[in-house]
Each structure stands twice: as C-alpha cells, then as structure tokens.
Amino acid sequence: MKAFILSNPKSVKDALQLLAVARDSKQAKAIQPLAGGQDLLTEMKEHLAEPDRLVNLKGIAELDYLRNLDGKVQIGALATLARMEKNNLLNEHARVLFEAAHSIASPQIRSVGTIGGNLNQRPRCLYYRLEEANCLKKGGKECFAYSGMNRYNAILGGGPSYIVHPSDLAPALIALDATVFIAGRTGPREMPLESYYKLPSVGDVRTETVREPDELLLSVSFQLPAPGTRSTYLKFKERESYDFALASVALVLGFDGDVIRHARLVLGGVAPVPWRVRAAEAALVGQKADTQTAEKAAELALAGAVPLSGNAFKIPLTKSLIVRAIRSLA
C-alpha cells in the first residue's frame, strides 16, 4: 500500500474544505474520503486506488444517526449496517431495507461498514479487481469481461463496461423511493437515489455515480410506507455467507385487500446500476399476487436481458427470485 496522509476533520465543513483541494489542484484521486473503509482500503492494498491523503469521516458525529421524523426516516452516511439490521422500525415498516442490511457480508463487517460506503462501493468485476489488468474501468481500452470470464457480469444495461453494481442497500432504498443529500463546494443538492447512479454509457466510464470528487454523500431519507405495504429483499449468492449477489430482488408492494395498488421492483447483481423495472411494476398494479401475475412480471423484468457467454443462467435465476418475492408477499 502506498503511504498516505490521514486527516481527521470533526465537521462536514472541514471535510469538504479538504476535498476541495483535490478539485482545485486537478488531482481528484489524490484526496479521497474514508468511511468504514471496507472497500477503499481493499482497493488501496491492491493498488487500484493510491490517494496521497485520506479524509477520515469517522470523527464527524453529525453524520452518524438513524431517526424517524414524523414518518420520514433519515439515515446519516456513517450509520453502520449493523445499526440498520437491528432497528425495530425498519424491521416492522421497511423490511426490504432491514433484510438487505442483514444480507451483507459478516457480522464483523456489518459492525463497521456504513450506508455511505455501501452505496458508493466500487465494482467487484474480476478484471477490475486484478491489479495487472488495465481494463476499461481503469482507463484501458477494453472491457475484458465482454469476451472473457463474465459469470458475475451484467445481463442488463451493459456496455461499453459490463460491471454490476455490488450494493445490496441501493436496490432496497430505490424500491423505497429514497433520496440522497449531497454537499460540495457549490452547495447542497438532493436527488432520488435512482438518479445518483449512471450507466457506463453515460459520461466517464470510470465512475459509477454523479457525485463529484469534492462532494460527500451526507444522508439518505425515505417516507415510511403506507399501511398495507409489504416488502422483501431476496438475494442469491454462491456462498451462504460473506458473498455478493449473483442476483437480487428488492420488492415493495402496496395492497388494498388482496389487490396490488402500488409496486416497486428493483434488481441487483444484474446491471451496472440498481435496475428498476417499470414494465413489471405496471403489470403488477391492479392484480393479485398469484403465481400467474408473478410469472408475467418476471418475464417483463428480464425481457431486455442480453447475457454474455458465461452468465445466461442469471435470466432464469432472477426470474425465479422475482416470482418467489411476489408470492412471499401475497
């Protein structure tokens, strides 16, 4: 690991001032924020990231909270995954997020990993994580996964890079219609979490979000679902513990009796961004959550899938997860 300077700001203002130096000097990668460190420190050990300075956010108390303000849940960027999986409010009223947090890695990692870090983690593609491979995501000219080992790569929304976004919290939060609050030198801005992520075909292929180098993601918020709403998060992984999703489904359904009146369906592990499927959502509204309805929604959700040589199995796998998720909420 390359030697670096560690800065320990005590406020968001101080942290943003440190990050602004990188933008001014046109050395955006020279200074990077550090939250839980589960992903960034691994990248540094593998020489995928070599910052000159880390801005340690752990001492900023104003970013560590999970609260309910009149039905609006607000979560600071430094709130840990363990805090979310142990929260009774989420367990009872936003089960999709509760289950997503519980599905991540191990108890030890969840005790230090943060929501901000999870939403901003980098791709897990074999070639991106291989130090010697100068792939497209690292400034090279080719996505080696396209014609190489691509079992874990995208079947939806891919090209020119075929990464999949590794976050479990992102699909769950998008299914809850969450927004994120970002601050930088030009001032604060708020946006739907769905808009925070961008496809590789949009802008710089080396980045996954619209966050600028001198900005920080400060918080995430969402309204508690209305009465009659049920939700779940299903994840398929190769190992029972400490693994990322081959495919996942975040589902929120609002019921009037046994009829679906509201639906949000977001897929993980299959696209470069958390993949919301509006056609499937529309097909669910006004229907009962029976097997026929679930199978139709699953077909619509994967209608545009274009598998690579080694990951066609993700299509029936994801369809099966969708059907299971819908039926489980019936």
Side-chain angles (χ1 to χ4, degrees):
M1 182 187 293
K2 173 187 170 182
F4 58 89
I5 299 170
L6 182 66
S7 297
N8 296 288
K10 298 301 181 182
S11 69
V12 170
K13 179 180 179 181
D14 291 343
L16 291 174
Q17 287 177 343
L18 287 167
L19 292 174
V21 173
R23 190 71 177 269
D24 290 337
S25 62
K26 297 182 180 181
Q27 294 179 323
K29 293 184 178 180
I31 302 180
Q32 293 193 32
L34 173 69
Q38 298 303 296
D39 191 28
L40 178 57
L41 294 180
T42 300
E43 282 202 307
M44 292 171 65
K45 291 176 183 178
E46 297 170 346
H47 299 282
L48 303 178
E50 294 189 317
D52 296 323
R53 181 189 298 269
L54 290 183
V55 179
N56 181 19
L57 307 177
K58 296 186 185 73
I60 305 178
E62 61 188 289
L63 293 180
D64 186 6
Y65 59 87
L66 194 165
R67 59 198 180 208
N68 174 21
L69 297 179
D70 297 324
K72 186 172 186 178
V73 177
Q74 298 178 337
I75 308 175
L78 291 184
T80 64
L81 308 178
R83 188 171 184 175
M84 283 180 280
E85 71 167 330
K86 296 174 182 178
N87 186 275
N88 289 332
L89 178 72
L90 299 184
N91 184 17
E92 294 177 12
H93 300 288
R95 184 79 185 179
V96 63
L97 182 57
F98 177 89
E99 292 177 350
H102 181 69
S103 77
I104 298 169
S106 64
Q108 294 86 349
I109 287 178
R110 293 195 295 273
S111 69
V112 292
T114 65
I115 185 172
N118 187 270
L119 295 178
N120 283 293
Q121 62 186 304
R122 303 305 308 280
R124 307 303 306 188
C125 176
L126 295 174
Y127 296 103
Y128 173 75
R129 293 286 167 169
L130 182 63
E131 182 181 346
E132 295 80 8
N134 187 29
C135 71
L136 195 63
K137 288 293 293 181
K138 293 183 284 190
K141 297 181 180 180
E142 180 183 354
C143 177
F144 299 126
Y146 181 73
S147 57
M149 293 184 291
N150 48 44
R151 174 177 175 80
Y152 306 102
N153 292 81
I155 59 173
L156 292 161
S161 170
Y162 289 83
I163 62 153
V164 297
H165 199 274
S167 173
D168 287 294
L169 297 186
L173 285 163
I174 291 173
L176 289 167
D177 199 22
T179 61
V180 290
F181 187 76
I182 306 167
R185 179 174 51 179
T186 57
R189 55 180 176 143
E190 190 174 11
M191 70 182 68
L193 179 58
E194 185 177 3
S195 302
Y196 183 68
Y197 298 105
K198 65 182 189 64
L199 289 169
S201 56
V202 179
D204 188 349
V205 72
R206 295 171 296 179
T207 61
E208 297 83 51
T209 72
V210 299
R211 183 178 64 85
E212 298 291 345
D214 64 342
E215 290 184 314
L216 286 176
L217 188 155
L218 301 183
S219 65
V220 182
S221 64
F222 61 89
Q223 289 293 140
L224 285 175
T229 301
R230 307 167 201 163
S231 66
T232 191
Y233 183 77
L234 293 184
K235 172 181 178 179
F236 185 89
K237 49 192 179 182
E238 288 186 315
R239 297 176 292 179
E240 280 300 311
S241 63
Y242 196 46
D243 210 355
F244 294 88
L246 278 174
S248 65
V249 173
L251 178 66
V252 176
L253 296 180
F255 286 87
D256 182 2
D258 59 356
V259 176
I260 300 169
R261 296 301 182 193
H262 168 77
R264 290 287 289 249
L265 177 61
V266 185
L267 308 179
V270 294
V273 298
W275 193 259
R276 185 179 172 193
V277 279
R278 288 177 169 79
E281 293 173 355
L284 289 169
V285 174
Q287 306 298 318
K288 295 182 179 180
D290 55 26
T291 300
Q292 182 178 0
T293 298
E295 290 177 348
K296 179 180 179 181
E299 288 293 330
L300 288 170
L302 277 297
V306 181
L308 301 175
S309 59
N311 63 7
F313 72 92
K314 284 193 175 188
I315 296 177
L317 170 61
T318 309
K319 288 180 180 179
S320 176
L321 288 177
I322 292 171
V323 172
R324 283 176 54 197
I326 294 170
R327 295 295 296 131
S328 73
L329 298 184

Coordinates of all heavy atoms in Angstrom, one line a residue, residues 102-105 235-247:
H102 N -29.1 -7.0 6.5 CA -28.7 -8.3 7.2 C -28.0 -9.2 6.2 O -27.2 -10.1 6.6 CB -29.9 -8.9 7.7 CG -29.7 -10.2 8.4 ND1 -29.0 -10.3 9.6 CD2 -30.0 -11.5 8.1 CE1 -28.9 -11.6 10.0 NE2 -29.4 -12.3 9.1
S103 N -28.2 -9.1 4.9 CA -27.7 -10.0 3.9 C -26.2 -9.7 3.6 O -25.6 -10.5 2.9 CB -28.5 -9.9 2.6 OG -28.2 -8.7 1.9
I104 N -25.7 -8.6 4.1 CA -24.4 -8.2 3.6 C -23.3 -8.8 4.5 O -23.3 -8.7 5.7 CB -24.2 -6.6 3.7 CG1 -25.2 -6.0 2.8 CG2 -22.8 -6.2 3.4 CD1 -25.4 -4.5 3.0
A105 N -22.3 -9.5 3.8 CA -21.1 -9.9 4.4 C -21.3 -10.7 5.7 O -22.1 -11.5 5.9 CB -20.1 -8.8 4.5
K235 N -31.9 -12.5 -2.1 CA -30.6 -12.4 -2.7 C -30.0 -13.8 -2.9 O -30.1 -14.7 -2.0 CB -29.7 -11.6 -1.7 CG -28.2 -11.6 -2.1 CD -27.4 -10.8 -1.0 CE -26.0 -10.8 -1.2 NZ -25.3 -10.0 -0.1
F236 N -29.5 -14.1 -4.1 CA -28.9 -15.4 -4.4 C -27.4 -15.2 -4.5 O -26.9 -14.3 -5.2 CB -29.4 -16.0 -5.6 CG -28.9 -17.4 -5.9 CD1 -29.5 -18.5 -5.3 CD2 -27.7 -17.6 -6.6 CE1 -29.0 -19.8 -5.5 CE2 -27.1 -18.9 -6.7 CZ -27.8 -20.0 -6.2
K237 N -26.6 -15.9 -3.7 CA -25.2 -15.9 -3.7 C -24.6 -17.3 -3.7 O -25.3 -18.2 -3.3 CB -24.7 -15.1 -2.5 CG -25.3 -15.5 -1.2 CD -25.0 -14.5 -0.1 CE -25.6 -14.9 1.2 NZ -25.4 -13.9 2.3
E238 N -23.4 -17.4 -4.2 CA -22.8 -18.7 -4.3 C -22.4 -19.3 -3.0 O -22.5 -20.5 -2.8 CB -21.5 -18.6 -5.2 CG -21.8 -18.4 -6.6 CD -20.6 -18.5 -7.5 OE1 -19.6 -17.9 -7.1 OE2 -20.6 -19.1 -8.6
R239 N -22.1 -18.5 -2.0 CA -21.8 -18.9 -0.7 C -22.8 -18.4 0.3 O -23.3 -17.3 0.1 CB -20.4 -18.5 -0.2 CG -19.3 -19.0 -1.1 CD -17.9 -18.5 -0.7 NE -17.8 -17.0 -1.0 CZ -16.8 -16.3 -0.7 NH1 -15.7 -16.8 -0.1 NH2 -16.8 -15.0 -1.0
E240 N -23.1 -19.1 1.3 CA -24.1 -18.7 2.3 C -23.7 -17.4 3.1 O -24.6 -16.7 3.5 CB -24.4 -19.9 3.3 CG -25.3 -20.9 2.7 CD -26.7 -20.4 2.3 OE1 -27.3 -19.7 3.1 OE2 -27.1 -20.7 1.2
S241 N -22.5 -17.2 3.3 CA -22.0 -16.0 4.0 C -20.9 -15.3 3.2 O -20.3 -15.9 2.4 CB -21.5 -16.4 5.4 OG -20.3 -17.3 5.2
Y242 N -20.8 -14.0 3.5 CA -19.7 -13.2 3.0 C -19.6 -13.3 1.5 O -18.5 -13.6 1.0 CB -18.4 -13.7 3.7 CG -17.3 -12.7 3.5 CD1 -17.5 -11.3 3.8 CD2 -16.0 -13.1 3.2 CE1 -16.4 -10.4 3.7 CE2 -14.9 -12.2 3.0 CZ -15.2 -10.8 3.3 OH -14.2 -9.9 3.1
D243 N -20.7 -13.0 0.8 CA -20.6 -13.0 -0.6 C -21.5 -12.0 -1.2 O -22.5 -11.5 -0.6 CB -21.0 -14.4 -1.2 CG -20.3 -14.7 -2.5 OD1 -19.6 -13.9 -3.0 OD2 -20.5 -15.9 -3.0
F244 N -21.2 -11.6 -2.4 CA -22.0 -10.6 -3.2 C -23.1 -11.3 -4.0 O -23.1 -12.5 -4.2 CB -21.2 -9.7 -4.1 CG -20.2 -8.9 -3.3 CD1 -18.9 -9.4 -3.0 CD2 -20.5 -7.6 -3.0 CE1 -18.0 -8.6 -2.3 CE2 -19.6 -6.8 -2.2 CZ -18.4 -7.3 -1.9
A245 N -24.1 -10.6 -4.4 CA -25.3 -11.2 -5.1 C -25.0 -11.5 -6.5 O -24.4 -10.7 -7.3 CB -26.5 -10.2 -5.0
L246 N -25.3 -12.8 -6.9 CA -25.3 -13.1 -8.3 C -26.6 -12.4 -8.9 O -26.6 -12.0 -10.1 CB -25.4 -14.6 -8.5 CG -24.1 -15.4 -8.4 CD1 -24.3 -16.9 -8.5 CD2 -23.2 -14.9 -9.6
A247 N -27.6 -12.4 -8.1 CA -28.8 -11.7 -8.5 C -29.6 -11.4 -7.2 O -29.5 -12.2 -6.2 CB -29.7 -12.5 -9.4

